[in-house]
Amino acid sequence: MNNDLYFKYQPRYYNGEISSYEALLRSDINNFNVEKFVYLIENSAAFDLNIIGKVLQDRKSLHICDDVSISLNISIASLLDDVFIRKCLNIFEHEKNITLELTNHDQTDDFDGIQKSILLLKEQGVNFALDDYGKGYLNTDIFLYLDVDYIKLDRRLIRNIENNYISYSILKSKYDHIVNVLDKVVILEGIETFEQFNLVKEFGDMFYQGFYFSMPINIGDIEKTSFTKYKVKSERIQFSLQLDQAIFDLNRSQEPKNVKQAIDNIKRIDKYNIIGLTSNTFDLYSERHRINKNYREIIKNKKHSHYMLAASLVCGCDGAVVIRDVDGNVIFNNDHFIRFMGVDLVDMPIDQVCEQVTDYRTTLHVESELLQSDSCFMMSDEVMKTKNGMELVHVYRQKVSHFGQNFVVCSVYEAIDTIVIDELTNCYQKNYLSSSYMKQHKILVFIDLDGFKAINDNLGHCIGDEILRDFAQTLKSMLRDSDVMVRFGGDEFIILLNSHVMTTVQQRIVQLRTDIEAYFSQKDMKLSFSYGVASLQNGVETALKQADNRMYQEKSFRKRKLDTVKLA
């Protein structure tokens, strides 16, 4: 490399921290055009090897060299040179945290050869960026589909975006295409003003650099770069790109056999039949025409305000929305659902979902019944384990059909009263008694366990907790669906019933106690309970006092009776 040439290093940022430095070739010779000089070099592979060696030598001069990520430019044509690839494989077996930015796209159109070399070097840990996108090279759009990690938008795309909407919209459309269709990461260079940065930062995640943040610096001024936790690149091509490619294959097919294969491929990609395939195998060309018509309609509708509103309602509504197919697979959950549940369930295997979401099998069973019934709608109050613990929620399920396939759209809303569920027993906590749900109950039963203190003292609190959980779950299983069980505190519980007849309730509670005693007797444990019953006609506070007094009266009576039996 020419001795008059040297490197400056420009910081590149992500989320306000320096993620890497780009090596920029510089010269102090007056009127020396570095870019033109590099472009005219005949043996780009040899020159690029020199560039790599000099940059790595610069980095080794730092005591923090292992913690500095560096990007450097090479000609894309160098990736077609066998000697260059062989030497790079040796170099990058030991040198890490390097990104090669591919320039001079018009020097080759050998897409397959470039792709092969990229994959070889990526196995050694090298990252790749397609540099200068938007500069005007004829082949650049083809190279967008290379297996590179980053697409670097040329500085000309950002010029004047703060003053010209057309410039702004061109930049944004390119960003959206790269991120949302190609599933690649954007690097935006040339940010020089606050106004420019203020506009582009709202696009979404990206890496950025420019004079607004920092001028290029000397190697000795480099600092340790931060670990960048960016989104993991999808192993699969985005669905929209896959479908678009499949439509392309369909339209270029001429023979009936090839048309049929192309339609089968669309069916494989579009597993939920968004595009509306039919079973028409007799007139394949009419089916092709119909598929294209549906596809155009889908693309057109994506731009309509009513479509955008519908998508916004589902994605951004206050309710936690999840959509499942007939097999129980989650094909959509909105951001509110992810925040509410603390997990994104899309594409997660059902067995794994069942491990993370309590009672998920019960949810699938309920939705299976809805799918098989004549009804299209179901609503219920359910207890769900969310990121905040067990909560009471309102659940609304709607069965919908799309081109012959059924789905369940499920909307989950937090109960207004924010009722808390006891983690140990899965019963409601005391705040249920002050909620609006109390108006549906007529009678309150206060329960205090008999024999639990001895179990707790003799066997320890861990076993005691298991006994409490066992008692609560067993008693709840004996209650009716309309009955509610509340853990009042410690080993005290409350049962709320809808019955108006006090004597009937008394008989039920006695029978429940007999069943509970028999259940624990089979486990060689003496566990029972005392109870008091009161009407809710005069309010919760009055009912609690009355039921509590009656419970203690009964407990005292049962204890005296037991003592009498022992004396006899």
Side-chain angles (χ1 to χ4, degrees):
M1 190 172 72
N2 192 318
N3 292 330
D4 296 320
L5 299 176
Y6 61 94
F7 286 98
K8 289 274 193 176
Y9 294 87
Q10 186 168 39
R12 180 173 295 158
Y13 294 81
Y14 178 73
N15 279 345
E17 296 184 328
I18 298 175
S19 62
S20 63
Y21 292 88
E22 182 184 4
L24 301 174
L25 197 59
R26 292 290 185 261
S27 173
D28 290 331
I29 301 175
N30 290 334
N31 300 321
F32 185 85
N33 189 316
V34 172
E35 185 175 348
K36 185 177 180 180
F37 167 76
V38 172
Y39 187 79
L40 294 176
I41 288 175
E42 294 184 4
N43 191 344
S44 63
F47 179 79
D48 287 340
L49 282 171
N50 283 330
I51 291 286
I52 293 171
K54 179 63 172 67
V55 170
L56 293 177
Q57 184 180 353
D58 273 2
R59 188 170 71 168
K60 286 179 181 178
S61 68
L62 302 170
H63 70 280
I64 55 170
C65 61
D66 293 336
D67 297 317
V68 175
S69 179
I70 296 288
S71 295
L72 54 94
N73 296 337
I74 66 168
S75 170
I76 198 168
S78 294
L79 293 181
L80 298 175
D81 186 286
D82 292 339
V83 175
F84 177 86
I85 296 300
R86 186 170 64 252
K87 290 188 175 182
C88 281
L89 288 173
N90 292 330
I91 292 171
F92 296 122
E93 184 178 359
H94 308 288
E95 300 286 350
K96 304 302 178 183
N97 296 328
I98 293 293
T99 299
L100 298 181
E101 300 189 8
L102 307 179
T103 64
N104 299 341
H105 312 156
D106 58 354
Q107 293 189 0
T108 179
D109 58 2
D110 186 354
F111 181 94
D112 293 334
I114 299 297
Q115 175 73 350
K116 180 180 177 182
S117 296
I118 286 175
L119 294 177
L120 278 173
L121 291 173
K122 283 174 76 74
E123 290 180 0
Q124 292 285 48
V126 179
N127 293 316
F128 282 89
L130 185 69
D131 196 10
D132 298 332
Y133 180 68
K135 193 170 186 178
Y137 295 127
L138 293 176
N139 293 340
T140 300
D141 284 341
I142 298 175
F143 293 136
L144 281 176
Y145 294 87
L146 290 168
D147 194 18
V148 296
D149 304 280
Y150 311 100
I151 305 294
K152 189 174 179 183
L153 301 184
D154 187 70
R155 65 182 66 249
R156 341 183 154 204
L157 291 174
I158 198 173
R159 289 177 186 169
N160 205 35
I161 64 165
E162 67 271 43
N163 300 314
N164 188 298
Y165 172 72
I166 300 300
S167 299
Y168 167 83
S169 62
I170 289 173
L171 178 64
K172 187 174 187 306
S173 66
K174 291 187 181 298
Y175 172 90
D176 289 339
H177 178 72
I178 292 167
V179 172
N180 299 321
V181 178
L182 301 180
D183 198 29
K184 298 184 189 297
V185 180
V186 165
I187 300 172
L188 186 55
E189 66 173 346
I191 300 176
E192 298 184 354
T193 67
F194 168 78
E195 290 76 16
Q196 290 174 343
F197 180 57
N198 196 46
L199 287 171
V200 301
K201 71 180 182 180
E202 301 303 330
F203 289 179
D205 274 354
M206 70 175 72
F207 291 82
Y208 42 86
Q209 64 187 70
F211 294 163
Y212 173 69
F213 307 103
S214 172
M215 300 290 286
I217 61 178
N218 295 321
I219 184 66
D221 297 324
I222 282 181
E223 302 174 0
K224 179 180 177 180
T225 52
S226 64
F227 170 73
T228 302
K229 188 176 180 181
Y230 202 84
K231 66 176 185 178
V232 178
K233 190 180 176 218
S234 174
E235 292 296 327
R236 54 181 173 78
I237 301 175
Q238 288 284 340
F239 168 76
S240 58
L241 181 56
Q242 277 188 307
L243 184 58
D244 198 57
Q245 290 176 342
I247 296 292
F248 164 74
D249 289 335
L250 173 65
N251 291 331
R252 69 174 181 163
S253 300
Q254 299 299 323
E255 298 298 324
K257 177 183 177 181
N258 295 334
V259 174
K260 176 66 165 57
Q261 288 177 345
I263 292 175
D264 289 341
N265 186 41
I266 293 174
K267 187 180 297 184
R268 179 186 60 80
I269 294 168
D270 185 14
K271 61 181 179 179
Y272 297 114
N273 201 16
I274 294 170
I275 208 163
L277 295 175
T278 70
S279 56
N280 180 8
T281 58
F282 300 103
D283 191 347
L284 294 172
Y285 297 99
S286 293
E287 179 70 359
R288 178 168 67 181
H289 176 74
R290 201 184 59 77
I291 290 172
N292 276 280
K293 182 180 178 182
N294 286 2
Y295 186 53
R296 289 194 300 271
E297 192 67 24
I298 290 171
I299 299 300
K300 181 178 68 174
N301 283 337
K302 285 176 67 176
K303 301 297 183 183
H304 285 186
S305 59
H306 61 265
Y307 180 93
M308 296 171 69
L309 173 61
S312 177
L313 287 173
V314 175
C315 294
C317 71
D318 292 336
V321 180
V322 57
I323 302 176
R324 280 178 276 260
D325 64 15
V326 293
D327 296 319
N329 298 299
V330 175
I331 62 175
F332 172 83
N333 47 210
N334 65 353
D335 288 342
H336 190 94
F337 180 91
I338 296 171
R339 290 193 299 270
F340 185 56
M341 298 296 295
V343 62
D344 184 350
L345 302 181
V346 172
D347 290 336
M348 186 182 292
I350 290 178
D351 289 342
Q352 188 176 341
V353 176
C354 292
E355 293 176 1
Q356 297 203 30
V357 180
T358 305
D359 293 333
Y360 193 73
R361 295 282 182 194
T362 303
T363 297
L364 297 183
H365 177 71
V366 170
E367 294 187 357
S368 177
E369 290 183 347
L370 175 61
L371 288 166
Q372 295 173 21
S373 71
D374 295 331
S375 174
C376 291
F377 185 76
M378 177 187 294
M379 60 181 295
S380 59
D381 289 340
E382 301 175 17
V383 175
M384 294 181 62
K385 185 174 183 179
T386 71
K387 66 177 183 179
N388 299 320
M390 303 301 291
E391 293 188 45
L392 178 69
V393 295
H394 306 307
V395 183
Y396 303 89
R397 292 182 172 89
Q398 174 77 43
K399 177 170 63 178
V400 296
S401 181
H402 178 74
F403 289 117
Q405 291 194 85
N406 288 330
F407 302 88
V408 174
V409 180
C410 180
S411 300
V412 181
Y413 292 86
E414 297 175 75
I416 297 175
D417 299 292
T418 319
I419 296 170
V420 183
I421 306 300
D422 179 59
E423 290 281 356
L424 177 64
T425 63
N426 208 27
C427 297
Y428 294 116
Q429 288 189 6
K430 282 176 65 174
N431 70 334
Y432 184 95
L433 300 175
S434 59
S435 73
S436 60
Y437 295 98
M438 285 299 295
K439 61 185 178 184
Q440 62 185 320
H441 306 299
K442 302 296 184 292
I443 289 179
L444 180 149
V445 182
F446 201 110
I447 286 177
D448 185 79
L449 296 190
D450 296 330
F452 177 73
K453 186 176 184 302
I455 293 172
N456 217 22
D457 291 343
N458 295 329
L459 301 180
H461 291 293
C462 289
I463 299 297
D465 285 348
E466 288 299 321
I467 297 300
L468 271 181
R469 184 185 294 111
D470 195 6
F471 167 79
Q473 292 178 351
T474 303
L475 186 57
K476 283 176 68 177
S477 69
M478 297 175 180
L479 297 174
R480 298 169 182 170
D481 291 341
S482 58
D483 300 334
V484 167
M485 189 168 171
V486 176
R487 187 183 182 190
F488 193 73
D491 60 348
E492 296 177 328
F493 294 86
I494 287 173
I495 300 176
L496 301 167
L497 308 130
N498 294 335
S499 175
H500 292 272
V501 184
M502 192 70 68
T503 55
T504 302
V505 171
Q506 296 273 6
Q507 293 170 359
R508 278 190 63 198
I509 299 301
V510 170
Q511 183 60 53
L512 287 172
R513 180 164 61 189
T514 300
D515 294 340
I516 283 289
E517 291 171 347
Y519 173 80
F520 281 98
S521 177
Q522 293 177 354
K523 298 187 173 188
D524 296 326
M525 290 185 181
K526 291 184 178 180
L527 189 69
S528 183
F529 61 80
S530 299
Y531 71 92
V533 182
S535 170
L536 285 161
Q537 184 176 1
N538 295 320
V540 177
E541 292 298 325
T542 301
L544 277 173
K545 290 179 182 178
Q546 292 176 348
D548 187 35
N549 289 334
R550 291 165 186 169
M551 181 273 295
Y552 276 111
Q553 290 173 8
E554 200 218 16
K555 184 180 283 287
S556 178
F557 172 76
R558 279 161 59 82
K559 185 177 181 182
R560 289 197 304 271
K561 185 177 179 180
L562 181 62
D563 291 343
T564 301
V565 172
K566 288 180 180 179
L567 289 174

